[in-house]
Amino acid sequence: MTILTNSRTSTVTDLTDSYRRLPEVLHLLQFGDSALPIGGFSFSNGLESAIQQEIVSDAPSLREFVLTVMHQSATSDGVALLCAHRAAKAKDIDALMIVDRAAFERKLNEETRLMTVRMGRKLAELADAIMSDRLNHEWLVRIKQAQTAGTHPVSLALVLAALGVEARDAFGAQQYGIATTILGAALRLMRLSFVDTQKILLEATRMVAPAYEKVRDAELNDMASFLPMVDILAAVHVKGHVRMFMN
């Protein structure tokens, strides 16, 4: 009888954990989706210039580009997101502003700054319209009053923390968004099939957990965004005569 009781208790506990976890998974699907209406589809994360400069020309070179940009993002915006998630859990809006400034100042070119603040503000506006969270509302007020830039990783961390999503999973959503944004742009810019992009995405998502383990305890001073080629491509894109994307 004891064995049966313990087994039943374990089953009930597993079901309870599963039901508690399900909303978090669905929140990740919603806010990690590249189709979220915050303007992500307008940007290519440097892919358009990479194709024009013949750095990316086929599926293998696209794979290398995606993995490289994701690595750069993990050590910069990914760290910012984790720091912002801690600040959001502590309800510390002043700490959020410090993280936001650090994330913004590490964007070395006009187009990446435009992308992060436009998507960050739109996300804050969307969250304020569809969910009731005092900290997010105050964050949006400060963005509108030009007290802070409102970068995307900080706004994303704030929203997901309010919804009870853990830092690791929020980091995963940020990384997934980078990959799907680039691959979605690739389908419009290159002669590729959906099979090609999904194969790359499957490999890319396997790299997220190891990337998280490397930065999980990182602080703002650990942020590193050194990737000269991407900055050069962004500079080239500003002067491009034919452009489908905003960066």
Side-chain angles (χ1 to χ4, degrees), residues 116-229:
T116 195
V117 298
R118 181 166 294 183
M119 291 178 63
R121 176 168 179 151
K122 289 295 182 183
L123 179 56
E125 290 175 346
L126 176 64
D128 190 53
I130 65 176
M131 56 185 276
S132 178
D133 180 68
R134 189 172 182 176
L135 188 62
N136 185 82
H137 178 74
E138 177 61 25
W139 182 245
L140 179 58
V141 169
R142 295 199 181 192
I143 292 174
K144 289 183 174 180
Q145 292 178 348
Q147 296 182 46
T148 195
T151 59
H152 180 256
V154 176
S155 292
L156 181 62
L158 204 161
V159 170
L160 293 180
L163 293 170
V165 175
E166 295 298 323
R168 179 197 63 183
D169 297 335
F171 177 87
Q174 186 266 342
Q175 287 279 283
Y176 182 80
I178 294 290
T180 54
T181 295
I182 297 173
L183 293 172
L187 287 172
R188 287 176 275 175
L189 292 167
M190 302 173 66
R191 292 184 177 180
L192 291 171
S193 71
F194 286 98
V195 174
D196 292 323
T197 56
Q198 290 302 308
K199 183 178 180 180
I200 294 171
L201 182 60
L202 186 63
E203 180 180 356
T205 53
R206 290 174 179 151
M207 306 303 294
V208 175
Y212 171 74
E213 291 302 320
K214 290 180 180 180
V215 301
R216 59 182 298 176
D217 298 318
E219 302 293 340
L220 280 184
N221 290 336
D222 299 316
M223 289 177 66
S225 58
F226 184 73
L227 195 60
M229 183 55 68

